[in-house]
Amino acid sequence: MGMRPPAGLPSLSKRTRVLLILALIAAALLLIGPRFVDIYTDWLWFGEVDFRGVFSRVLFTRLALFVIVGLVVGAIVWLALLLAYRSRPMFLPSPGSNDPVARYRTAVMTRQKLFGIGIPVVIGLFAGLVGQASWATVQMFFNGSSFGITDPQFGKDIGFYAFDLPFYQFVLNWLFVAVIIAFFASLITHYIFGGLRLSGRQGALTRSARVQLAILAGTFVLLKAISYWFDRYALLFSSRKEPTFTGAGYTDINAVLPAKLILMAIAIICAIAFFAAIFLRDLRIPAMAVVLLVLSSILVGAVYPLIVEQFSVKPNAADKERAYIERNITATRQAYGITDETVEYVPYSGKTEKQPKDVPSDVTTIANTRLLDPNILSPTFTAQQQLKNFYAFPKSLNIDRYDMNGDLRDFVVAARELSPSSLQGNQTDWINKHTVYTHGNGFVAAYANQVTAVSGDAQNNTGGYPIYTVSDLTTKPTDKALEVDNPRIYYGPVIAASDADYAIVGGSPGSAPREYDTDDQKYTYTGDGGVGIGNWFNRLAFAAKYTERNILFSGAIGSDSKIIYNRDPAERVNKVAPWLTTDGTVYPAVVDGRMQWIVDAYTTLDNYPYAQRSSLEGLVQDSTNQATGRMLPKKEVSYIRNSVKATVDAYDGTVTLYQVDDKDPVLKAWMGVFPDTVKPKSDVSADLQAHFRYPEDLFKVQREMLAKYHVDDPGVFFGNNAFWSVPSDPTVDTDKNQPPYYVLSGNPKTAKPQFVLTSPMVGYQRELLSAYISVQSDPQNYGKFTVLQLPTETQTQGPQQAQSAMTSNPRVASELSLLKQSNKIQYGNLLTLPIADGGILYVEPIYTQRNSPNAFPQLARVMVSFTDTNGIKVGYAPTLAEALDQVFGSGTGNAATAPSGETSPTPEQNTGQTTSPTTTPPPPAAGQTPDKAAAVAQLDSALANLQTAQQRGDFKAYGDALDQLQKAIQAYQQAGG
């Protein structure tokens, strides 16, 4: 009796097919349509900022990779399916037989194009979509160059590991994927069409199926042999010895490396065995080859290194790993820029018998001691300088410095930005939100070391506030250095914090101004920023982008209208330079009369041989509340350079990238990928360079490295006992690291103020001070580290201990208890200041904030702590001058008066005039030459002039006195002093 043939897949009616096609088209539009809108609007935006070359290059590279990877993978799979189908047996089982795959075979035969072409196309599309994400790897391969440094194991240039090896691994990975998919596609095809049958004891495999599967399996094993070869180089990134060190250790070099070569040879033999199966009918040879390869991988690749590690290395780890720790130390210092070329280690006693007032550089340091904490004072700035409810300042302000009539002064700076989230009532109407309230207004700066007069009265409510210098539409600062020609702010991190950060400016020709400027005037944007939406196509694109119909139908939009979006300065830099990692903080600066956002940007690698690998996110987490709340991305790095400084104009959004490190091979490679996108260092103006700061995030990474890699001896390094730690922040109730602080300190050689970023370091798992790290931000010495190393046999209090000593002082504790009854107490930044040629001074402001809804912080007290031969001394007073006098005796506090004290300078103090005291030279002492006596008199005169200038608050005279003192020192040295 005959049986019915297996039924194929059910057919669809014409109407069902049409509906299905329409549904697929709608789904595709929903999925792909927004992407095309984003691409088009991005293309417009890149044209606005004049970086369309970046957009085109990235898009072309992605498309090229999509096509190449998709074609290669899809073609290999298609060829495998085609060969398997064409080599199917001529005589298939009859329809009446009990064939379990008969219905599937029928379905495939009735839809050959769907399965034979559709499957490779779908696989190719998915492969292309994944592969195009590696555009950076491909571009770096074609544009990378040498580092000029060779690795200690294979003698290859670091450029091979940075640029070439990732590309080779990328190609190998996709070949693996293609061959594996092709193998299983062939296997399934042969099974469906009878080339592979599982019936019977041993089953059956046709010759064509055997040949095809053997070739694919042999190719896979051959690729594995090539992979073993490149795996040797990847050993230099080994994490086997983490957290002790990164890179190949004794086991990797003496066990794993030979194992890789042995496995490579075995893999080649196994590949030959598979290829031999083409001619031999016996499949036992390739089967034995597979068993050999698997056993070898286990025994040679895993068990043998484990035995070496457990029984040879661990019992003698310090000696066995010594050479490899040396490699790790050298490579890490190179990768993180902390070599002897940039870092100077200076012994520092931690104790002294000198007085700060007798050391010229200390006088400068004390005169510029910062009292304003930028992480606390945002509410104060808001309360006193907000002007309108829709203006705001970032949660954390910034520190910068300006040359004020020849004197370098540091300021707490901020931009008065528009805050769309602060709009209230009818201000939130779409028209008002996006076409009226479009920009901020003004640059605000406050002297970092100066506040309004602080009274000794604990309930004083008028003093302790910043002294502002403001440049906006209605106010001009007294000093040109802080004056902004156009103070309107269309771009900034606060503006961009809104979910829809776009603004629509301009209108039809001759239309009345619409944007709010002041209560008395409206404004129409005239800058180059923004994308034109005068035509209906662009309006439709942006209406779709923001899902906002008002963009299509609003009468406020005319032929000259533009839409301003992507307003966060850091995000603008990230978009035009996707190969850079931006710092977590951007800060405003007045440069040549324009307000610019300065953004620090990094080039990074994750595969620098032997260099310590670390997480950026983990290294930069501390108590500092960054202005935007942004943190660096979660990525592992083993190389970082601040090779690019970027500026974003606050008015027109212009993005400019500057090369500030012409030795960085990674940046050179990217400049080859995107020529003419980064301007040379010679294009940096002197005014802009004067505002470059050493970036905090990079410093946090480097201080973490210096905590370990200041150690030279591998044996000491292995023991961990000489390591340092970043102290926890004593001013907050968390275990977060103390952030680094920008300070204006006296140069030890010239006594002139220098802008540095600093951080104390404590002993490993201890609280005693072990080192003090500072790095220069001034143009002439930018990036130079000084590490003061304290002796291990002395005990110098660290930040936590200093905080405890100050707050537990009976007098301090008693008054703080009284203040807390009606105020909220906030501890400001605890500054650590090396003074008196060996001593450590701690200075900490205390802010009070009344327990009321509209209250804001004000400086109430200043605590200082200093340790000398008589023990720990604590000063506590309304002013820094009084607190210093309590610790050092009368006279030291004079250095803390204006220009650095807590009172506003009077008009008489700002006249810029001074009268130097007349000094009669004393007769020469016994044994002194007249020249030497004259030099001594010149020194006395210079010191007297310096003290007079400090007391008068005369900035110009203070700078002149410093110059006079330097000349006097040189004269004394020449006279044999």
Side-chain angles (χ1 to χ4, degrees), residues 957-968:
Y958 183 77
D960 294 340
L962 285 175
D963 292 335
Q964 181 186 359
L965 179 62
Q966 180 62 24
K967 294 177 180 178

PDB file of all heavy atoms in Angstrom, residues 957-968:
ATOM      1  N   ALA A 957      53.514  95.985  43.368  1.00  0.00           N
ATOM      2  CA  ALA A 957      54.708  96.075  44.204  1.00  0.00           C
ATOM      3  C   ALA A 957      55.137  94.698  44.701  1.00  0.00           C
ATOM      4  O   ALA A 957      56.329  94.419  44.850  1.00  0.00           O
ATOM      5  CB  ALA A 957      54.449  97.010  45.391  1.00  0.00           C
ATOM      6  N   TYR A 958      54.181  93.838  44.947  1.00  0.00           N
ATOM      7  CA  TYR A 958      54.492  92.481  45.405  1.00  0.00           C
ATOM      8  C   TYR A 958      55.289  91.728  44.342  1.00  0.00           C
ATOM      9  O   TYR A 958      56.294  91.077  44.631  1.00  0.00           O
ATOM     10  CB  TYR A 958      53.190  91.749  45.711  1.00  0.00           C
ATOM     11  CG  TYR A 958      53.365  90.359  46.271  1.00  0.00           C
ATOM     12  CD1 TYR A 958      53.720  90.152  47.605  1.00  0.00           C
ATOM     13  CD2 TYR A 958      53.171  89.246  45.458  1.00  0.00           C
ATOM     14  CE1 TYR A 958      53.862  88.879  48.106  1.00  0.00           C
ATOM     15  CE2 TYR A 958      53.326  87.969  45.965  1.00  0.00           C
ATOM     16  CZ  TYR A 958      53.662  87.792  47.292  1.00  0.00           C
ATOM     17  OH  TYR A 958      53.811  86.536  47.785  1.00  0.00           O
ATOM     18  N   GLY A 959      54.844  91.837  43.080  1.00  0.00           N
ATOM     19  CA  GLY A 959      55.580  91.188  41.996  1.00  0.00           C
ATOM     20  C   GLY A 959      56.968  91.793  41.803  1.00  0.00           C
ATOM     21  O   GLY A 959      57.946  91.081  41.585  1.00  0.00           O
ATOM     22  N   ASP A 960      57.064  93.141  41.903  1.00  0.00           N
ATOM     23  CA  ASP A 960      58.378  93.795  41.769  1.00  0.00           C
ATOM     24  C   ASP A 960      59.317  93.361  42.887  1.00  0.00           C
ATOM     25  O   ASP A 960      60.521  93.168  42.667  1.00  0.00           O
ATOM     26  CB  ASP A 960      58.207  95.317  41.789  1.00  0.00           C
ATOM     27  CG  ASP A 960      57.449  95.834  40.570  1.00  0.00           C
ATOM     28  OD1 ASP A 960      57.398  95.084  39.556  1.00  0.00           O
ATOM     29  OD2 ASP A 960      56.914  96.956  40.631  1.00  0.00           O
ATOM     30  N   ALA A 961      58.754  93.217  44.092  1.00  0.00           N
ATOM     31  CA  ALA A 961      59.586  92.803  45.226  1.00  0.00           C
ATOM     32  C   ALA A 961      60.107  91.385  45.039  1.00  0.00           C
ATOM     33  O   ALA A 961      61.243  91.069  45.425  1.00  0.00           O
ATOM     34  CB  ALA A 961      58.790  92.917  46.526  1.00  0.00           C
ATOM     35  N   LEU A 962      59.302  90.509  44.454  1.00  0.00           N
ATOM     36  CA  LEU A 962      59.753  89.147  44.172  1.00  0.00           C
ATOM     37  C   LEU A 962      60.913  89.163  43.182  1.00  0.00           C
ATOM     38  O   LEU A 962      61.894  88.428  43.330  1.00  0.00           O
ATOM     39  CB  LEU A 962      58.606  88.310  43.626  1.00  0.00           C
ATOM     40  CG  LEU A 962      57.541  87.848  44.640  1.00  0.00           C
ATOM     41  CD1 LEU A 962      56.416  87.131  43.917  1.00  0.00           C
ATOM     42  CD2 LEU A 962      58.149  86.936  45.682  1.00  0.00           C
ATOM     43  N   ASP A 963      60.807  89.997  42.129  1.00  0.00           N
ATOM     44  CA  ASP A 963      61.912  90.117  41.169  1.00  0.00           C
ATOM     45  C   ASP A 963      63.166  90.641  41.850  1.00  0.00           C
ATOM     46  O   ASP A 963      64.284  90.163  41.591  1.00  0.00           O
ATOM     47  CB  ASP A 963      61.503  91.058  40.027  1.00  0.00           C
ATOM     48  CG  ASP A 963      60.398  90.455  39.164  1.00  0.00           C
ATOM     49  OD1 ASP A 963      60.285  89.212  39.126  1.00  0.00           O
ATOM     50  OD2 ASP A 963      59.664  91.229  38.525  1.00  0.00           O
ATOM     51  N   GLN A 964      62.986  91.643  42.717  1.00  0.00           N
ATOM     52  CA  GLN A 964      64.128  92.201  43.433  1.00  0.00           C
ATOM     53  C   GLN A 964      64.780  91.153  44.329  1.00  0.00           C
ATOM     54  O   GLN A 964      66.016  91.069  44.432  1.00  0.00           O
ATOM     55  CB  GLN A 964      63.666  93.404  44.268  1.00  0.00           C
ATOM     56  CG  GLN A 964      64.804  94.094  45.047  1.00  0.00           C
ATOM     57  CD  GLN A 964      64.289  95.188  45.959  1.00  0.00           C
ATOM     58  OE1 GLN A 964      63.099  95.461  46.003  1.00  0.00           O
ATOM     59  NE2 GLN A 964      65.197  95.828  46.693  1.00  0.00           N
ATOM     60  N   LEU A 965      63.943  90.325  44.971  1.00  0.00           N
ATOM     61  CA  LEU A 965      64.476  89.285  45.853  1.00  0.00           C
ATOM     62  C   LEU A 965      65.276  88.257  45.063  1.00  0.00           C
ATOM     63  O   LEU A 965      66.345  87.813  45.509  1.00  0.00           O
ATOM     64  CB  LEU A 965      63.320  88.608  46.589  1.00  0.00           C
ATOM     65  CG  LEU A 965      63.712  87.461  47.540  1.00  0.00           C
ATOM     66  CD1 LEU A 965      64.604  87.967  48.653  1.00  0.00           C
ATOM     67  CD2 LEU A 965      62.455  86.806  48.123  1.00  0.00           C
ATOM     68  N   GLN A 966      64.794  87.881  43.868  1.00  0.00           N
ATOM     69  CA  GLN A 966      65.517  86.917  43.047  1.00  0.00           C
ATOM     70  C   GLN A 966      66.884  87.475  42.642  1.00  0.00           C
ATOM     71  O   GLN A 966      67.903  86.762  42.680  1.00  0.00           O
ATOM     72  CB  GLN A 966      64.680  86.576  41.802  1.00  0.00           C
ATOM     73  CG  GLN A 966      65.344  85.583  40.865  1.00  0.00           C
ATOM     74  CD  GLN A 966      65.587  84.224  41.507  1.00  0.00           C
ATOM     75  OE1 GLN A 966      64.911  83.867  42.459  1.00  0.00           O
ATOM     76  NE2 GLN A 966      66.564  83.482  41.008  1.00  0.00           N
ATOM     77  N   LYS A 967      66.920  88.733  42.268  1.00  0.00           N
ATOM     78  CA  LYS A 967      68.204  89.358  41.904  1.00  0.00           C
ATOM     79  C   LYS A 967      69.138  89.422  43.098  1.00  0.00           C
ATOM     80  O   LYS A 967      70.349  89.230  42.970  1.00  0.00           O
ATOM     81  CB  LYS A 967      67.952  90.750  41.330  1.00  0.00           C
ATOM     82  CG  LYS A 967      67.201  90.751  39.993  1.00  0.00           C
ATOM     83  CD  LYS A 967      66.923  92.169  39.524  1.00  0.00           C
ATOM     84  CE  LYS A 967      66.163  92.150  38.195  1.00  0.00           C
ATOM     85  NZ  LYS A 967      65.832  93.528  37.738  1.00  0.00           N
ATOM     86  N   ALA A 968      68.561  89.701  44.267  1.00  0.00           N
ATOM     87  CA  ALA A 968      69.398  89.770  45.471  1.00  0.00           C
ATOM     88  C   ALA A 968      70.001  88.411  45.810  1.00  0.00           C
ATOM     89  O   ALA A 968      71.158  88.308  46.227  1.00  0.00           O
ATOM     90  CB  ALA A 968      68.560  90.286  46.647  1.00  0.00           C
TER      91      ALA A 968
END
